[in-house]
């Protein structure tokens, strides 16, 4: 089975993805930024499934920290076979006219620069031309990339639009190197991220506008990510999977 790195997996969709991948027998590098106790607890939980797992602190918006993260993975788990670019932030809701450069740049470096940096380190390890054996990358984007999040967080939506373009371009760039690059676009998923956006009950407010009438669970996103990483998706690259209840 593989050695997979999941950025931002101390909670939410990343943690659910760790649990699903561990159950399938993959070894895991669980990256976190601030939540060490949660990451350590998750490591213990998934190790009980008989896999190897490590927790590594790194702010993935910082290049040196990303390099150290991948080096720790090389040393402690072995050759990388898959990357889930998942770490992301949402900042308090406000219209574009109130956003300052500090906010916009913080959001873009955390949600976009980090994905580029992690893709770069993954390619250096997985590309056939670098002596790798190929692999798979799954980028976690958002339905917000399509919908725009007007009046809430257009900056966040735009960061996810960039991830969609990264997925399309990179999938073509590394296809001949044995690396598949795909994207999931979750809709309203029940995690603590909405609290960070200033509205813990956001899903309750918007659920009547979701055709399926409910938000999604982190596990429903994790299952799609696991499939895209798997050999069952061996001819799938540059794809976008909507996990948004029909929205
Ligand atoms: P979440 O519960 O808020 O979890 C975010 C995770 O990202 C945490 O583990 C956090 O770790 C980590 N993180 C944040 N900044 C980081 C950094 N600079 N470096 C490393 N890790 C960092 O969020 P979620 O809902 O699971 O979201 C996961 C992904 O799904 C994000 O990319 C998000 O945009 C996307 N998404 C979510 C929804 C939704 O409705 N929830 C919908 C569409 C897309 P620490 O706590 O250790 O800092």
């Amino acid at each position: 089975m593989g050695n997979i790195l999941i950025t931002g997996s101390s909670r939410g969709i990343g943690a659910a993805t760790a649990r699903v991948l561990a159950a399938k027998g993959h070894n895991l590098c669980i990256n976190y930024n601030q939540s060490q106790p949660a990451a350590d607890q998750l490591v213990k939980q998934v190790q009980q499934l008989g896999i190897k797992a490590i927790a590594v602190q790194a702010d993935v918006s910082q290049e040196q920290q990303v390099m150290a993260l991948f080096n720790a993975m090389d040393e402690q788990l072995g050759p990388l076979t898959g990357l889930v670019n998942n770490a992301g932030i949402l900042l308090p809701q406000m219209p574009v006219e109130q956003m300052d450069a500090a906010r916009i740049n913080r959001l873009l470096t955390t949600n976009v620069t980090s994905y580029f940096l992690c893709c770069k380190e993954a390619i250096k390890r997985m590309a056939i031309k670098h002596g790798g054996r190929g692999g798979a990358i799954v980028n976690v984007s958002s339905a917000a990339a399509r919908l725009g999040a007007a009046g809430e967080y257009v900056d966040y939506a735009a960061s996810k639009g960039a991830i969609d373009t990264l997925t399309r371009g990179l999938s073509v760039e590394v296809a001949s190197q044995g690396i598949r690059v795909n994207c999931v676009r979750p809709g309203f998923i029940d995690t603590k991220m909405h609290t960070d956006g200033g509205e813990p009950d956001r899903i309750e407010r918007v659920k009547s506008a979701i055709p399926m009438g409910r938000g999604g669970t982190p596990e429903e996103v994790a299952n799609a990510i696991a499939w895209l990483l798997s050999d069952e998706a061996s001819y799938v690259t540059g794809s976008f999977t909507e996990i948004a209840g029909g929205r």
Side-chain angles (χ1 to χ4, degrees):
M1 277 295 165
N3 298 320
I4 298 174
L5 190 158
I6 312 167
T7 67
S9 44
S10 53
R11 66 184 207 192
I13 292 168
T17 303
R19 286 190 286 269
V20 168
L21 292 174
K24 292 181 185 297
H26 297 288
N27 299 324
L28 298 174
C29 179
I30 290 164
N31 158 249
Y32 65 97
N33 187 25
Q34 295 177 332
S35 308
Q36 182 173 13
D40 287 344
Q41 198 181 356
L42 181 62
V43 164
K44 282 195 194 126
Q45 197 183 16
V46 293
Q47 280 174 339
Q48 283 168 7
L49 295 165
I51 57 123
K52 283 201 254 175
I54 56 171
V56 181
Q57 192 280 331
D59 175 347
V60 287
S61 68
Q62 302 300 314
E63 189 163 24
Q64 295 300 323
Q65 295 187 39
V66 169
M67 290 163 76
L69 167 65
F70 278 77
N71 288 340
M73 163 115 195
D74 293 340
E75 285 160 19
Q76 296 175 56
L77 280 191
L80 183 79
T81 63
L83 164 69
V84 182
N85 262 326
N86 168 77
I89 55 168
L90 197 61
L91 297 172
Q93 297 176 4
M94 65 174 67
V96 170
E97 68 181 42
Q98 289 175 13
M99 292 176 187
D100 62 18
R103 170 191 165 118
I104 297 163
N105 289 336
R106 180 178 165 213
L107 195 121
L108 292 178
T109 51
T110 306
N111 289 9
V112 182
T113 307
S114 65
Y115 279 45
F116 274 84
L117 294 174
C118 291
C119 283
K120 175 182 167 181
E121 292 304 313
I123 293 163
K124 277 162 44 180
R125 288 159 174 79
M126 299 194 301
I128 293 164
K129 68 179 178 190
H130 296 313
R133 308 177 81 179
I137 296 171
V138 176
N139 291 327
V140 180
S141 173
S142 171
R146 290 185 281 109
L147 300 170
E152 294 186 330
Y153 8 65
V154 175
D155 53 350
Y156 170 85
S159 78
K160 295 303 185 180
I163 296 313
D164 289 2
T165 307
L166 165 66
T167 302
R168 180 65 197 138
L170 188 63
S171 67
V172 175
E173 200 168 290
V174 298
S176 66
Q177 294 303 318
I179 303 174
R180 299 182 297 103
V181 186
N182 290 291
C183 194
V184 293
R185 281 197 291 233
F188 296 95
I189 309 300
D190 189 10
T191 72
K192 293 210 169 68
M193 179 170 257
H194 304 290
T195 305
D196 293 345
E199 192 184 3
D201 297 330
R202 183 169 174 235
I203 294 177
E204 210 40 45
R205 173 171 65 83
V206 300
K207 71 179 187 189
S208 61
I210 302 170
M212 286 180 69
R214 65 171 178 88
T217 66
E219 289 71 27
E220 287 173 314
V221 182
N223 287 330
I225 293 171
W227 182 77
L228 287 166
L229 286 172
S230 77
D231 286 343
E232 288 177 13
S234 54
Y235 199 51
V236 181
T237 198
S239 79
F240 297 85
T241 302
E242 311 294 344
I243 311 168
R247 183 121 192 256

